[in-house]
Amino acid sequence: MDEFIELMRAKESWLMERILGYARMHDYTRYSSTLLEAWRVSIAGLTEALAGTLKFHGDGSLNVSLHTDWNEDPASRFAMGQARRHRQRGVSLEMFLGLFVYYRRTYRDLIREFVAEGDDQSRLDELVIVLFDRMSIGFSAEWANVGGQTTLVEMASTLRCITNEKNRYLTFFESLSTPAIFLEPDGTIGNINSAATSLLDSDARIGKIYYATAEDEISPAFLGRKVEAVFPWLEVFGGEVLASVERTFEADVTQPLPFGSRQFRAILNRHPDVSGRITGFSLILHDLTERVRVQEQIRNAKEELDRTFNAISDLVFLVDNDLALMRVNKALETRLSCPSIEIIGRPCAEVLGAFEYNFSGDDRSDGRIPVNFGNIQGSFLVNRDQIRGPDGAKIATVFVARDVTVLESIRGTLLEVEDKYKNIFDNAPVGIFQISPYGFLSVNQALASIFDFDSTEEMRRYYTDIPSQLYVRSEDREDLLREALVTGIVRDRDIELRRKDGISFWAKINGRVIFADDGEAEYFEGFLQDVTELRSSVDRLVKSERQFRGLAETMQQGLVEIDAHGRVTFCNRHFCELVRQEKDEISGLQLVTLVHPDDRETYLRMVDTVGCGEEIRRCDIRWFISGEQFFSIVTPVMQEENKEECAGIWLLVMDVTQRRFIEAQLLQTQKMEAIGQLAAGIAHEINTPTQYVLNYIWFIKEAMDHIAQALGGHGLLFERLASDPALEREIKVIQARDEELQVSFYLEELPSAVGDVLHGLEKITAIVGSVRQFVHPGHDCKTDVDLNKLVTDTVTLSRNEWKYVAELSMDLDPELPPVPCLSQEIGQVLLNLLVNAAHAISEIRSDGGAPLGTIHVITRRDGGWVEIRIADNGSGMPSHVQEHAFEPFFTTKAVGTGTGQGLFIAHRIVTGVHEGTISFKSQPGEGTTFTIRLPLNNTD
């Protein structure tokens, strides 16, 4: 039998679910309790009654006899007690017996479900039938023995108890300061408390709605109407929300008022009964108006305090543990005549000048210490306070230096500041207090509310034992007192405290100790904020922001965030270096203003495309900063608040200017190398036959000289032989033949012709030599170069460019010393300048009828420098062209005739490689003069 009793107790939940299932199936839940606990208690009581009866009678005496005493066993007594309670509540005997049938079936189902078939199952089933028969007869007898008048008296007593209970809950409901509304399943208002009524009715009173009569015309204005019809600003809680909410639904709503508005956090709760049927909803409105206002006041107070920091006329500066400046106020900036951006991060001694001060010691200096700063005129009294982190480690030190020469003026300023903001602190939304070891001297209402008191007086009377009532951990109070007494001040100290109800919370305390004239501490004053909710979220936010900024600031590419209007909201250090501007200058700037004018359309198209949700992998964008341009590859990524709205765009900017320059220079070098190789080959091919022809011409010239000498001797012989008559005729024949063949003419003209041929061949040899010298591979390091010869070779090489448009003259200093340089690269510079000069002259001789221009090349020594000047009387350069002359890819020539690299490469070779200078003077229509200066002591 004990096993069966343990089975009933172990299967209590199963029995409750089974009887509740029968009750739902046969509609008994309509008039029963809506709470599951009532059904559990019923099963538990019945099980214990059955167990007590089985133990009382054992296995053999459970019979129903004629003279059975129904009070003798627990089961019958339990049934009779249940009969009295249900009769008093107005339950009929038929209803009670009907539900009792299903209790009997539930316990029989337990036996069939969990007891194996056989004798034990049958015996237990018969036993349960007998037990329930005894209980049925017992409560029937109880029911029959009571007259109708007694039943009415019992029901009246029960009704009074129910009415009193209802009045208690009604009083509680109507006295709530929080607006509360009960909604029927269809969303109409079933009941509403006075706090909710007061939102629309300024004359609302406790119980006014509940006790209103039909003649009052008050109840119809609220009850039975849809909540959104009575309170339009609660339309979010319409039929769709009521139909879909599973348990709780929350929303922030705003009640419009004639002179402002009120903010509420509205919480809707669904209320089903045990059968799952919805009995209604409760809607609670928590007023957030004051909280929002307080948050705004705190934000304004912080901004005001920041302005106060910069309004202080004392010199205030903050240093880290390495004595590097972290922050300075405007007064110090003014005294140093230097903006803070140039001061922050530099050593304190470097900025302020050498001064004597003991930086070690306690957190706070003992009074003001006289100090003279090396870089600031005047004498100062300096105070010091150390700032510590949550772990107690020192993280910074703040110094306040007061110029004693204007002490009275500063004191007046501080008093004015104190008076100005006294009213703000008196009415601050944070808790303000004065406290002694014996209790609170004074508190404001904000502090009383934080500790859950209705008034400041109540709070002051409540705390009589500060250590045990206020602090969760006594050691926190000891640490706070120790810090306050040692340093005189407490900053941003987080401590766990207790409210009136004993619930703990985290508070941030800032304050100071007030000392008496004798040096004894009188009391502690300060302000307190409840930071329980903010504590964990702020820690996570700070950690996340620190990680992001650390990553962003260490990137080797520029990172920029722009909002939906194209304004810069964030940029990292690398991007500031690219555009050569400070973050403060870029923040809020329209980023398109930094883009090169020729690429702005491309940039705007990229932003519009990404803003529409389309993807762009990369885009080539040029930036134009302070008259200079640089090239970049920009990768855009859109930020999404939702699928339909662009919150902003991240731009990853990779500087490829140097790569573009190197690629262009490499291309130019490859072209020059190819041309050089071709020219070297041609020069070699020309040089061989030229030497061959030159050798034979010299041979012919020498032969002509010998023939002329021989024929001259023959002439003298003919003159002597002409006197012999026998030979006169033969001689005349020979002389006539010589005249016919023009021998004397050839002897006279051939030497001159051969000389001209030799002169032409020598020019060919000189040109070939210049070409071979120009294309000869250069050295990796600088060597001493005859600059005059390099100029002469370059002039010879470029002759074909200028000989048809200009006359070229050279004025080369014969005393010019060798110049350490890379001959091939300087030759390239000279060639570019000569070709440019020829092109400038050809622009003004486009008709071909104008006289030849002039190009003049001069070399001179100027102390430790050598100058090369190349002047022309060509078209000159307009002022807008002169501004971009040395920029890469800038050209005014037609497409295909200029790359925009000549002057850029020349500038790089002269200034970057040779540490020299290149400049020009130009007048439109008059010509241009380029001046190259190379140092004589420039060696690798």
Side-chain angles (χ1 to χ4, degrees), residues 700-715 718 738-739 741-754:
I700 293 172
K701 183 176 184 301
E702 184 178 355
M704 289 299 302
D705 291 341
H706 293 171
I707 292 173
Q709 292 176 7
L711 291 177
H714 294 168
F718 285 161
D738 289 343
E739 291 178 3
L741 295 177
Q742 298 181 335
V743 172
S744 60
F745 172 77
Y746 288 130
L747 291 176
E748 181 180 352
E749 295 296 332
L750 275 175
S752 176
V754 170

Side-chain angles (χ1 to χ4, degrees), residues 426 431-434 439-463:
D426 287 342
I432 302 177
F433 61 91
Q434 290 180 326
F440 284 100
L441 302 178
S442 64
V443 298
N444 67 347
Q445 185 58 45
L447 186 70
S449 299
I450 290 175
F451 283 87
D452 205 21
F453 290 95
D454 294 332
S455 68
T456 58
E457 286 300 319
E458 180 187 2
M459 181 176 178
R460 291 178 58 195
R461 289 195 303 269
Y462 178 82
Y463 286 106

Side-chain angles (χ1 to χ4, degrees), residues 752-813:
S752 176
V754 170
D756 290 341
V757 171
L758 285 173
H759 181 69
L761 289 173
E762 289 173 352
K763 284 190 174 183
I764 292 174
T765 302
I767 292 173
V768 169
S770 298
V771 171
R772 295 178 68 182
Q773 178 66 27
F774 188 80
V775 302
H776 187 275
H779 297 281
D780 293 336
C781 58
K782 299 180 180 71
T783 58
D784 290 339
V785 176
D786 185 350
L787 205 58
N788 287 340
K789 185 176 185 306
L790 182 60
V791 170
T792 303
D793 289 343
T794 307
V795 167
T796 302
L797 182 63
S798 63
R799 176 180 176 81
N800 190 61
E801 290 288 339
W802 54 260
K803 69 179 181 179
Y804 299 108
V805 297
E807 294 179 350
L808 188 145
S809 59
M810 293 186 290
D811 182 8
L812 308 181
D813 185 357

Side-chain angles (χ1 to χ4, degrees), residues 6-25:
E6 291 302 319
L7 176 64
M8 290 190 294
R9 290 171 175 169
K11 296 300 180 181
E12 179 180 289
S13 297
W14 186 92
L15 290 168
M16 184 189 70
E17 291 293 334
R18 180 59 66 106
I19 185 58
L20 189 56
Y22 282 131
R24 290 170 180 164
M25 182 185 304

Side-chain angles (χ1 to χ4, degrees), residues 170-223:
L170 178 61
T171 301
F172 169 77
F173 176 66
E174 285 290 333
S175 300
L176 283 175
S177 61
T178 301
I181 304 172
F182 287 154
L183 302 180
E184 300 295 341
D186 61 355
T188 59
I189 297 177
N191 202 353
I192 182 171
N193 71 351
S194 60
T197 306
S198 66
L199 297 178
L200 296 179
D201 184 6
S202 60
D203 191 33
R205 298 183 300 277
I206 294 177
K208 182 177 180 180
I209 294 295
Y210 185 81
Y211 293 107
T213 63
E215 291 77 11
D216 293 335
E217 297 183 356
I218 297 175
S219 179
F222 297 97
L223 303 183

